[in-house]
Amino acid sequence: MSADRSLNLNAPVKNSSSIRLDLQTWTEVEDYLKHCKGIILPIGSTEQHGPTGAIGTDTLTAEAIAREVGCRTGVLVTPTQAFGMAEHHLGFPGTMSLKPSTLLAVLHDLVVSLASNGFEKIFVINGHGGNIATVKAAFMQAYGTAISQKLSVSSRFQCKLANWFMAAPVRSFSRDLYGDKEGHHATPSEISLTLHLQHSLRSKQMPLPDPSPAGPIHGPEDFRLRYPDGRMGSDPYLAQSSHGEALLEIAATSLSQDLSNFLKAS
Ligand code: NI
């Protein structure tokens, strides 16, 4: 791995295979750590996304944005954690959920593994709102573990959560395109991004009746009663692959800057 792999937003890495952790050897990772202590960990979910959205929507989107951010910054990207906290979606077939305590343990173990290797800054790119509370809890627990295990990086070990769908430029773009039809689940924004990434999904799109309005989230039976087709206030029929292409660009630009700031900060 050459020196031009160091973080440099002006010299993007073109080839995504060169920033994928799963395609490196351990000796290449050891070399990488000599000039960059940061790494990107994408996390999504495997859960229903309304009658027209793919089960893997949150994972497809988080992974694509993470790899684009990796290409632009030269920062390595780990394999995607495809399963998230989706307990409230279990009333719909195809959903596979980790309980909050399981996800906390998984995330904790993954980031502590990276810290024990010498990674100091873990940038988690998340595609699912239901993961947020648990991921933050996992970070806090991991900091304690790094100290109790006396890891050499413990005083510099930092994790940051980046929810791509909450980035200000993404929200602004979505609001302009869809207004209040963006909704809260199976949104036209995330569906647009999947249409850009996977052309086969375009054939699933169809007009839908008005969705149930957004409201509270409780257990899976309650969720299905309140939101019978899986949507929360969204109109995914507004989704277009061209919107998705633009959203990928906007999200990757915003998160690349956030990552750069995170790596530079003390
Ligand atoms: Ni989603």
Side-chain angles (χ1 to χ4, degrees), residues 45 47-49 54-59 61 89 127-129 164-165 184-187 190-191:
S45 185
E47 66 182 47
Q48 70 85 13
H49 269 77
I55 296 287
T57 294
D58 293 345
T59 299
T61 53
H89 295 295
H128 174 49
W164 75 264
F165 50 93
H184 295 267
H185 184 66
T187 67
E190 60 182 344
I191 303 302

Side-chain angles (χ1 to χ4, degrees), residues 55-131:
I55 296 287
T57 294
D58 293 345
T59 299
L60 291 165
T61 53
E63 180 170 270
I65 292 165
R67 289 184 179 173
E68 185 62 28
V69 171
C71 284
R72 293 178 183 210
T73 58
V75 175
L76 283 178
V77 181
T78 74
T80 304
Q81 170 61 27
F83 303 105
M85 201 298 287
E87 298 290 287
H88 46 299
H89 295 295
L90 281 171
F92 297 85
T95 298
M96 300 169 70
S97 175
L98 299 180
K99 293 190 291 291
S101 56
T102 312
L103 180 61
L104 194 158
V106 169
L107 254 292
H108 166 273
D109 288 3
L110 294 178
V111 299
V112 169
S113 297
L114 292 166
S116 69
N117 295 166
F119 286 97
E120 297 174 359
K121 301 236 181 177
I122 320 294
F123 192 69
V124 174
I125 292 185
N126 175 39
H128 174 49
N131 290 338

Side-chain angles (χ1 to χ4, degrees), residues 3 7 17 21 56 59-60 94 128-129 132 139 142 148 171 174 185 201 208 219 229 235 239 253 255:
L7 179 71
S17 64
L21 179 73
T59 299
L60 291 165
H128 174 49
I132 293 173
F139 291 168
S148 65
R171 285 214 149 152
S174 301
H185 184 66
L201 297 174
L208 296 167
D229 75 359
D235 185 355
T253 300
L255 268 56

